[in-house]
Each structure stands twice: as structure tokens, then as C-alpha cells.
Amino acid sequence: MPESRTLFGPALETALVKVDRAIAEFRAGRPVLLRDGDTLALAVSAELADAELVQRLDQLAAGDGHLVLSAPRLRRLGAKARSEAGIFVLPAIDLERIETLALKLDSRMDAPVAPASALDEAALELARLSLVLPAAILVPVDAAEIAGEPLVEVGITAIGGYRAEQAASLHIVGRAPVPLEGAPETEFVVFRGGEGLRDQVAIIVGNPDLTGAVPVRLHSACLTGDLFGSLKCDCGDQLRETVQWMAENDGGVLLYLDQEGRGNGIANKMRAYKLQSQGWDTYDADEVLGFDLDQRHFDFAATMLKQLGVTRVVALTNNPQKIGAIEAAGLEVAASQRVLGRPTAHNVRYLASKRDRAGHFIDMDALMARAAPKD
């Protein structure tokens, strides 16, 4: 089929553009019109809906609205062995009940849960892409009811394919030498695309031999650890020590990926930190908020490496998920190497949780020996 064109080139209303606009609307707390064939529904972020909007939705829903929640949140509410999202029917779209089911810590199920539809799943994915809590209010509508309303409409197929489209659209938009302390021969390469509307950065340290197995670290951005030296994690240590190691060992590539809080975003990370300060385990805190163990995706990281000419890697990581993602994207992992941070009184439980619950290759004895005072 020939490409639709406008005065400015390819049609502006591509699937990718529609999802971009839908993300902006959803993140702002405004309704988005989802389409699955001939079926339409308005979707609104449960955490961002205010009393006035809920009242309007209730009038429109006439008893047919529902709240869709992720499987982790349903488990926290008391659902048994659920591995998929589900819905609560909302005879009345009541803000207090929505907040109780979607947001409050001590909530329990107050009604049966029905299976989520494809529209519901798309609404949750839109919430994740928007970096808000994975909980959405849906109101089925027909075209006549919302005629003339300035709504962004997007198909569920476009939402489902958005991440892959973003990875395919990755391209380099700028690069320059940036000398670093301890690694003066370093180049920053900025890519556009890949994850939401955010840029990603590859840091090439030294002069790695791109024809061989290149030392590579996929490093997810951590504002608190990387920039401020938080004692709650080992991210800042891993970042700086990886760059130093590469500078001292023939170079490598560090991908600095904008995936704060295991892909949940900085706001949800702070919510999880608040729960951790009250005694919750890091993964339990995320589950309370409705998130799985890890929301990150690494397919676009592999695309970045391929565009830099890297085909074989030595993976500098403790995370088996990253190794699997690199291999699944068609790159060869010739070997892997652990990246140790410093254990502190504030992060030992966190490191043990990553080892025990997410399968990270973390030798706690080696870490503690590293932290022991030297004679």
C-alpha cells in the first residue's frame, strides 16, 4: 500500500505519532479514546482522575464503567494465583472506591474480578508507557456519544506495537568527545527513540575493538544513586567503576538508558522508596503499586549496539535478564562479568532481594569482604 503523504511528507497521523499523543494525554490525566475494531472505550489514569472528571465519566458510563488493575496489584488485594490483569465493575464511578482499590496499601478485594479484555490490557500498557501507576478507568462508548469531543484516538494494535516501533526508529542525533575523570578518551553518542519520548546515550570508553567481543554494560539511569550517591543502591558505584575498568582495560561501551526505577519512572520509584522506609522489601513495594519485578525492556539497547557496529559482547552485569535480552536481540554474549558495588547498612537487604527474588548473580560474601576495613 503506498504511503499516505501530506504537504510535509509522510502522513503525520502514523500509529507511532498517535501513541505519542495518547501518552501525553494519559499522563496529563485526560481521557484517551481506545479502539479495538468497532469497540470504543475512554481510558483515564486512575491516579490522575479528579472528582469533576469522575462525575462526567459516571454520567457517560450509565453503570457500564470498570476499573482495570494489573496482576501484581490484584495479588496484593487478595486475588488468588492471578497471572493476568482483571477488572472491577463500577456500577457507579466512585472516586473513593477507585482510590481504595488502586492506591491504598491496606485495601482488599470488595467484589469479584472479571478477566481483562484486549482494550483493558491496552489501557494498562498505555499507563506503563506514561510512567503512571498501572490502573485505569474504562468507560465503553459509541461514536455518537463522543462526537465533536477533542479526544486523541488510538488503536490497541498501535499501543501493543509501540515499543517495537520505537526500537526500530532509533537513530543517532549527536556525538562528541567528553573527557571524564579517569577516562579522558571517551565519546558520548546520543540516540533518539527507543523508550517513550526520551533520548538514550551510549558512552564509548577508550578504543574498543568492535570486531571482537566488546565489554558492554547496560546501565539504567538512577538519579539518586548515579548523581547523588544514594546509599540505598549500588548503581552509582557500578556506573563509575565500570567506566574506570573500561578505561584501564582496552575500552568498552556503556549504554546509559533512561529507565529509572526498573522502568517505573522517578515518581513511582519515590513511592516505592517511601514504602521501603516503612519496612517493605523493594519488590513487594513495587507489587503494592501494581508493578512486576522488573518493567524494563532491553531490545532497543541491542539496536543501539548494532548501530555502533557491536555484534559480540562481554556483558558486564549481575542481571541474567540483560544477558537474555542481548541474546534474544541477535547479539552474541561471548562471556559475562560481575559488577560489584559497595554494600552499606542501607542497601544490604536490597542487594539480597535482587539475588534471591530476581536471580541476580550477587555474591554477598564477596561484597562484604570488599567492604571490610583493610589492615
Side-chain angles (χ1 to χ4, degrees):
M1 180 181 296
E3 186 180 58
S4 174
R5 299 188 67 83
T6 70
L7 176 64
F8 300 104
L12 297 180
E13 281 297 299
T14 64
L16 197 63
V17 170
K18 287 182 178 180
V19 182
D20 285 341
R21 292 177 176 174
I23 289 171
E25 291 295 288
F26 198 87
R27 187 169 168 78
R30 293 187 286 266
V32 172
L33 184 62
L34 303 183
R35 177 180 289 276
D36 182 13
D38 294 329
T39 305
L40 298 171
L42 291 176
V44 177
S45 166
E47 74 163 282
L48 297 174
D50 58 29
E52 182 180 354
L53 177 58
V54 162
Q55 183 179 21
R56 293 177 181 177
L57 290 173
D58 188 46
Q59 294 171 352
L60 189 60
D64 290 333
H66 60 268
L67 174 69
V68 55
L69 298 178
S70 66
R73 179 62 184 176
L74 290 174
R75 289 195 295 271
R76 280 290 157 183
L77 291 175
K80 301 300 182 184
R82 290 199 69 90
S83 59
E84 299 176 354
I87 66 168
F88 288 93
V89 174
L90 299 173
I93 300 183
D94 176 77
L95 189 58
E96 183 176 355
R97 181 168 181 240
I98 289 167
E99 290 177 346
T100 297
L101 290 171
L103 306 175
K104 291 187 177 178
L105 298 184
D106 57 353
S107 304
R108 304 299 291 173
M109 291 174 57
D110 65 0
V113 180
S117 69
L119 273 170
D120 300 322
E121 295 281 6
L124 284 185
E125 176 65 1
L126 184 58
R128 296 186 189 102
L129 290 167
S130 304
L131 300 181
V132 299
L133 291 179
I137 306 163
L138 266 78
V139 174
V141 294
D142 60 47
E145 290 178 298
I146 43 87
E149 295 290 339
L151 295 166
V152 171
E153 178 183 327
V154 62
I156 64 170
T157 301
I159 294 173
Y162 181 76
R163 294 184 191 273
E165 286 281 339
Q166 280 280 20
S169 73
L170 265 170
H171 60 285
I172 295 172
V173 294
R175 58 194 305 165
V178 181
L180 303 178
E181 183 177 0
E185 193 171 351
T186 298
E187 182 183 22
F188 277 48
V189 184
V190 179
F191 291 77
R192 184 143 300 152
E195 190 72 3
L197 304 179
R198 308 181 294 279
D199 292 341
Q200 313 295 337
V201 182
I203 297 114
I204 303 174
V205 182
N207 291 292
D209 178 7
L210 300 184
T211 65
V214 180
V216 168
R217 174 163 176 78
L218 312 186
H219 188 94
S220 297
C222 176
L223 174 70
T224 50
D226 297 343
L227 185 58
F228 292 101
S230 168
L231 301 177
K232 286 181 62 64
C233 64
D234 55 347
C235 304
D237 291 339
Q238 290 181 316
L239 174 65
R240 283 176 279 277
E241 292 184 19
T242 294
V243 171
Q244 181 180 351
W245 183 91
M246 288 178 175
E248 296 171 352
N249 291 273
D250 301 322
V253 177
L254 185 143
L255 301 187
Y256 196 77
L257 310 174
D258 191 352
Q259 296 183 311
E260 186 83 40
R262 290 196 289 267
N264 301 335
I266 186 65
N268 291 320
K269 176 179 175 176
M270 288 302 106
R271 288 171 168 146
Y273 270 17
K274 178 67 173 179
L275 294 175
Q276 290 174 45
S277 73
Q278 298 169 355
W280 293 80
D281 169 271
T282 178
Y283 294 111
D284 287 336
D286 280 351
E287 187 174 69
V288 166
L289 298 173
F291 296 107
D292 284 314
L293 288 182
D294 199 325
Q295 302 290 136
R296 291 175 293 179
H297 298 78
F298 296 105
D299 50 349
F300 70 93
T303 302
M304 292 169 68
L305 291 172
K306 290 175 183 176
Q307 290 194 20
L308 292 174
V310 176
T311 58
R312 299 176 67 229
V313 308
V314 175
L316 307 182
T317 183
N318 305 325
N319 187 350
Q321 180 186 350
K322 292 181 180 179
I323 296 173
I326 293 170
E327 292 175 330
L331 298 178
E332 179 186 346
V333 178
S336 64
Q337 182 174 312
R338 305 290 76 83
V339 183
L340 298 178
R342 291 173 298 168
T344 71
H346 301 275
N347 71 16
V348 168
R349 184 185 180 194
Y350 166 75
L351 296 174
S353 292
K354 289 206 293 185
R355 177 196 63 190
D356 298 338
R357 301 190 59 178
H360 287 217
F361 306 126
I362 297 177
D363 185 337
M364 294 301 293
D365 291 336
L367 279 176
M368 298 310 292
R370 188 173 189 237
K374 302 295 188 290
D375 294 334

